[in-house]
Amino acid sequence: MSHASCSLKLSYLVEKLGLKAIYIPENGAENCDDIDLITSEVNRPGLALTGYFTDFEKDRLQLIGNAEFGYLESLSSSDRAAKVDALFSRKFPALIICQGIDIIPEILESAQKYEIPVLGSEDATSNVMSAVISLLSVKLAPQVTRHGVLVEVYGEGILMLGESGVGKSEAAIELLKRGHRLVADDAVEIKRVSNRTLVGSSPEIIRHLIELRGIGIVDVRQIFGMGAVKESEKIDLVLSLENWSKDTKYDRYGLEYEQYDILGLKVPMITIPIKPGRNLAVIIEVAAMNNRLKRLGYNAAAELNKRLEASINGNND
């Protein structure tokens, strides 16, 4: 298990969102490769421009739209220069001017003074903010790598864990033959993209590849087609695969799942014993469908429990 550092080059944001470079410091890289972004939070500095900096976060990108420009234009030239200078003196990563607004001289002067990039967008401020937060939330999300296999089965993201050689990859191949999709084999990169969602993907170097003992490396996309692979998938259920042991007591009813912790989020987990004669792919399919039903509010084990209780109470009457 390993954790990845959370930072992103400003140049990536510029490229993905098609931002225009209005001003880039002379001693900085032309494509903003020298500037690291470390938070997905952004800020519209309306309060900061009035002089309120108590809760100002200097690591955030700053976005300016019509409201901020309207306020600045209402000031005298000297007051405007002072307000803008006070903002830029906080040394934030970059300023994005939205809605195609022309840069005003005071902003350009302060940007040059403090060597802070100024970027532009023709889009509405709310749209730019939404796009920036969405992109940064994924790219800067806390990340961990786990040894396992991630597949999509009936729309459910199933993370299979277990010791090497237990049969995770073989189960994945059988699931592919049954029309399901592979996300990652061997190494699964997992990101916490929100307070409720974990998303898994494959390291680029082994993407779409799967290892089968005795055969070697198999290119899933080439053999099964593009419909058999997926770039990423949320993680809905963890299956812990282990060799069957007669000394282990396995859950036979499934009233409640175990919980598996990934980056502080609890994911439902089922332990599945492996032994000859069990059709693992079918078991995984049923586990996926049953988990989906549980999330929709139906629990077959709980329903059976209610029936038993009703039967017992009826007999007692």
Side-chain angles (χ1 to χ4, degrees), residues 35-101:
I35 299 170
D36 290 319
L37 304 176
I38 61 173
T39 177
S40 61
E41 300 291 335
V42 300
N43 186 52
R44 293 190 66 172
L47 285 175
L49 288 172
T50 68
Y52 184 83
F53 288 98
T54 301
D55 296 310
F56 186 83
E57 298 287 344
K58 67 177 184 178
D59 292 328
R60 297 181 182 181
L61 286 170
Q62 305 296 312
L63 273 66
I64 285 183
N66 281 332
E68 293 79 12
F69 266 87
Y71 169 71
L72 290 174
E73 288 178 347
S74 71
L75 304 175
S76 65
S77 178
S78 59
D79 285 346
R80 186 161 54 242
K83 299 290 188 183
V84 171
D85 186 84
L87 173 65
F88 274 82
S89 69
R90 265 60 186 184
K91 300 288 287 184
F92 48 85
L95 174 71
I96 302 176
I97 299 176
C98 306
Q99 300 185 203
I101 300 171

Side-chain angles (χ1 to χ4, degrees), residues 56-240:
F56 186 83
E57 298 287 344
K58 67 177 184 178
D59 292 328
R60 297 181 182 181
L61 286 170
Q62 305 296 312
L63 273 66
I64 285 183
N66 281 332
E68 293 79 12
F69 266 87
Y71 169 71
L72 290 174
E73 288 178 347
S74 71
L75 304 175
S76 65
S77 178
S78 59
D79 285 346
R80 186 161 54 242
K83 299 290 188 183
V84 171
D85 186 84
L87 173 65
F88 274 82
S89 69
R90 265 60 186 184
K91 300 288 287 184
F92 48 85
L95 174 71
I96 302 176
I97 299 176
C98 306
Q99 300 185 203
I101 300 171
D102 292 331
I103 188 170
I104 59 177
E106 291 82 1
I107 287 182
L108 182 57
E109 290 170 7
S110 290
Q112 292 171 337
K113 176 181 177 181
Y114 295 102
E115 298 186 332
I116 294 177
V118 178
L119 307 168
S121 173
E122 300 293 327
D123 292 340
T125 311
S126 58
N127 291 343
V128 176
M129 178 176 287
S130 176
V132 170
I133 292 174
S134 178
L135 181 62
L136 294 183
S137 293
V138 173
K139 289 298 179 180
L140 297 179
Q143 178 176 312
V144 67
T145 299
R146 293 284 166 88
H147 173 70
V149 175
L150 179 59
V151 290
E152 183 211 39
V153 180
Y154 296 129
E156 296 287 291
I158 308 297
L159 176 63
M160 293 185 282
L161 304 177
E163 293 183 2
S164 181
V166 76
K168 301 184 296 296
S169 296
E170 289 81 356
I173 286 290
E174 183 62 29
L175 288 167
L176 291 173
K177 291 176 63 180
R178 297 172 70 89
H180 306 295
R181 296 193 281 183
L182 173 73
V183 180
D185 177 67
D186 189 49
V188 183
E189 294 180 343
I190 305 170
K191 290 184 176 181
R192 176 175 172 166
V193 298
S194 74
N195 289 332
R196 297 195 304 172
T197 307
L198 296 164
V199 173
S201 61
S202 172
E204 186 173 355
I205 194 170
I206 59 171
R207 187 165 296 156
H208 306 150
L209 302 180
I210 198 166
E211 178 192 357
L212 288 176
R213 282 174 172 77
I215 295 178
I217 304 300
V218 173
D219 191 319
V220 170
R221 184 176 61 176
Q222 295 296 328
I223 292 179
F224 295 96
M226 283 298 299
V229 296
K230 194 172 184 183
E231 295 295 316
S232 63
E233 178 60 51
K234 64 187 184 306
I235 297 175
D236 299 301
L237 178 65
V238 174
L239 299 182
S240 177

Side-chain angles (χ1 to χ4, degrees), residues 166 242-248 250 272-276 278:
V166 76
E242 62 178 50
N243 291 314
W244 182 82
S245 171
K246 64 179 181 180
D247 298 323
T248 301
Y250 298 104
I272 297 182
I274 308 298
K275 67 177 181 178
R278 300 198 83 190

